[in-house]
Amino acid sequence: MDPYEGMSEPVRKAWERSLTNGRAARTALTRRRLLAGTGALGAGALLAGCGIPPAESGTTGEEAAPDLSGEEKVLNFSNWPLYIDVDDENPGSRPTLEAFEAETGIAVSYTEDINDNNEFFGKIRPQLAAGQDTGRDLVCLTDWMSGRLIRQGWAQRLDPANLPNAIANVEARFRTAPHDPGRQHSFPWTGIATVIGFNRRATGGDGITSVGQLLEDESLHGRISLLTEMRDTMGMVLLDMGKDPASFTDDDFEAAIARVQRAVDSRQLRRFTGNDYLDELNSGDIAACVAWAGDIVQLRMDNPDIDFFMPETGYLFGTDDLLVPALARRRANAEALIDHYYRPAVAAELAAWVNFICPVVGAQEEMRAIDGELAENPLIFPDEEMVAKGAVFRQLDEDEETRYEDMFAKLIGA
């Protein structure tokens, strides 16, 4: 298979440069790691924006401005920090993005201005509510926030005619989602798996096999952490209790909150964290934790004591999605970029850097030419067993989201 098939000569050169530079100088930071030390602040921001706002004046369903892509070869793209490939020898260079620009002639203004879903929503909500352009043609948001924009009519419907690679190559389990049935408004940038991470040296060489063990094993007293992200932590606790995060009840959620509260009261729990669990897990101060799989992949590159476990009860699965905000001026340009990243060779290079789940069929084969070890890593390319264990946190209505976030904020002390 030729990874450069269909690419122009400038694009080939960009790819050859990115593949031969290697990854030796790569920073171990991830986009979630930049939230380190801001767990409580993040939770506060989450609570402040927890309810799904009602539709406001100027927002009467899906809105779209005239598409100026034909005359404006520009694309404004907002993403999370450290969530794209960079050139080792020139950290300011993003090879896959430059390949897109060389091929299409579209100049991309790439901004790493998304540090928290609710914080970013607070930035763009006034314009969306007023029926105005946010100044962004493409954004990357976690699935539940993507769902909020879609429900409000604040995301444009994508044109399948402009997405041949995306439609052909999106992996089957990503083709539909509770927040965007039929993928009419969004496509995944990456998949996110929430698992158990642990430090074998800190646990005496033993693995951690369940969330219940985190919450109740006295040998881990004071050395475990949970995430400040409500859906990740509570979804994993619900699974451990035999409940399906896709269909739990109020009583189920309250029981899960009470279970975590016992761990808080007994000081079994060291603390709730954002991405700052990484340093403590690496040092062994945290022996085990609820963790994001992409972080564990990166941490293991430098520390062989770091490992992960997918509980028999399952793990929580989600996505970070690309979508076009309402009234964005250049939808077709945004669709071209989405389609670019659904080429297997492009997707493989991106996955080699971000280390989260790759949603593109054929990318695993291309990854073997970049990094054979990553190509076989189930946290990037899940096998059938891992796929089968993935569970999705269900969509919440306005009342549920307000109540659940309020209970969780009180639990973590936000």
Side-chain angles (χ1 to χ4, degrees), residues 11-286:
V11 180
R12 285 175 178 264
K13 289 180 179 178
W15 273 107
E16 289 165 358
R17 183 177 68 252
S18 69
L19 292 174
T20 56
N21 279 337
R23 300 166 59 238
R26 183 188 172 180
T27 175
L29 293 177
T30 69
R31 63 94 167 169
R32 291 181 185 272
R33 186 170 172 80
L34 290 195
L35 302 180
T38 62
L41 176 62
L46 188 65
L47 179 62
C50 62
I52 301 173
E56 303 177 41
S57 61
T59 60
T60 55
E62 287 189 26
E63 297 192 37
D67 193 348
L68 303 179
S69 296
E71 56 230 63
E72 297 183 0
K73 290 300 203 179
V74 176
L75 174 66
N76 296 328
F77 180 12
S78 285
N79 204 350
W80 301 77
L82 303 172
Y83 212 22
I84 198 169
D85 55 300
V86 298
D87 188 324
D88 291 327
E89 297 180 357
N90 179 13
S93 173
R94 304 178 179 96
T96 59
L97 206 55
E98 291 169 6
F100 171 76
E101 292 178 314
E103 181 175 5
T104 64
I106 297 171
V108 180
S109 175
Y110 184 82
T111 308
E112 297 178 329
D113 62 342
I114 304 178
N115 292 296
D116 175 90
N117 283 288
N118 278 286
E119 178 185 61
F120 185 75
F121 179 67
K123 291 180 182 178
I124 63 175
R125 177 180 172 182
Q127 293 100 324
L128 292 170
Q132 299 172 355
D133 177 19
T134 67
R136 299 164 176 88
D137 302 300
L138 188 67
V139 298
C140 181
L141 297 171
T142 305
D143 49 19
W144 59 270
M145 182 57 77
S146 295
R148 181 182 295 182
L149 266 66
I150 292 167
R151 290 193 302 275
Q152 290 294 105
W154 290 345
Q156 293 190 37
R157 193 179 300 270
L158 301 175
D159 184 351
N162 293 333
L163 298 162
N165 291 315
I167 291 171
N169 296 330
V170 64
E171 189 181 325
R173 64 182 174 136
F174 295 94
R175 288 187 178 277
T176 189
H179 66 284
D180 187 13
R183 287 288 179 192
Q184 298 182 68
H185 304 83
S186 67
F187 274 85
W189 180 247
T190 67
I192 304 168
T194 305
V195 298
I196 295 174
F198 59 92
N199 185 317
R200 286 194 179 276
R201 179 170 49 81
T203 60
D206 297 329
I208 307 300
T209 61
S210 72
V211 171
Q213 188 176 357
L214 289 179
L215 298 176
E216 295 151 11
D217 188 336
E218 292 185 0
S219 71
L220 300 173
H221 187 269
R223 298 190 299 143
I224 70 109
S225 67
L226 303 175
L227 295 168
T228 56
E229 289 279 348
M230 183 271 284
R231 287 163 177 80
D232 295 285
T233 288
M234 299 313 299
M236 292 293 283
V237 174
L238 285 164
L239 282 167
D240 190 74
M241 296 170 62
K243 305 299 181 181
D244 185 352
S247 60
F248 64 89
T249 65
D250 282 353
D251 288 343
D252 295 333
F253 189 84
E254 290 171 6
I257 287 282
R259 190 178 185 199
V260 179
Q261 186 67 62
R262 290 192 291 272
V264 172
D265 294 343
S266 69
R267 299 188 183 278
Q268 173 77 4
L269 180 71
R270 180 182 180 90
R271 65 192 183 98
F272 291 92
T273 75
N275 206 200
D276 47 324
Y277 66 84
L278 285 171
D279 290 333
E280 290 177 279
L281 181 62
N282 191 44
S283 68
D285 291 337
I286 289 176

Side-chain angles (χ1 to χ4, degrees), residues 47 250 253-254 257 261 400 402-412:
L47 179 62
D250 282 353
F253 189 84
E254 290 171 6
I257 287 282
Q261 186 67 62
E400 289 174 327
T402 300
R403 287 187 291 107
Y404 294 166
E405 293 286 9
D406 182 62
M407 283 188 278
F408 188 71
K410 290 177 181 176
L411 175 69
I412 69 177

Side-chain angles (χ1 to χ4, degrees), residues 292-307:
W292 289 302
D295 292 343
I296 300 302
V297 174
Q298 293 197 357
L299 208 57
R300 287 180 69 179
M301 292 180 181
D302 299 315
N303 187 346
D305 290 326
I306 302 301
D307 211 338

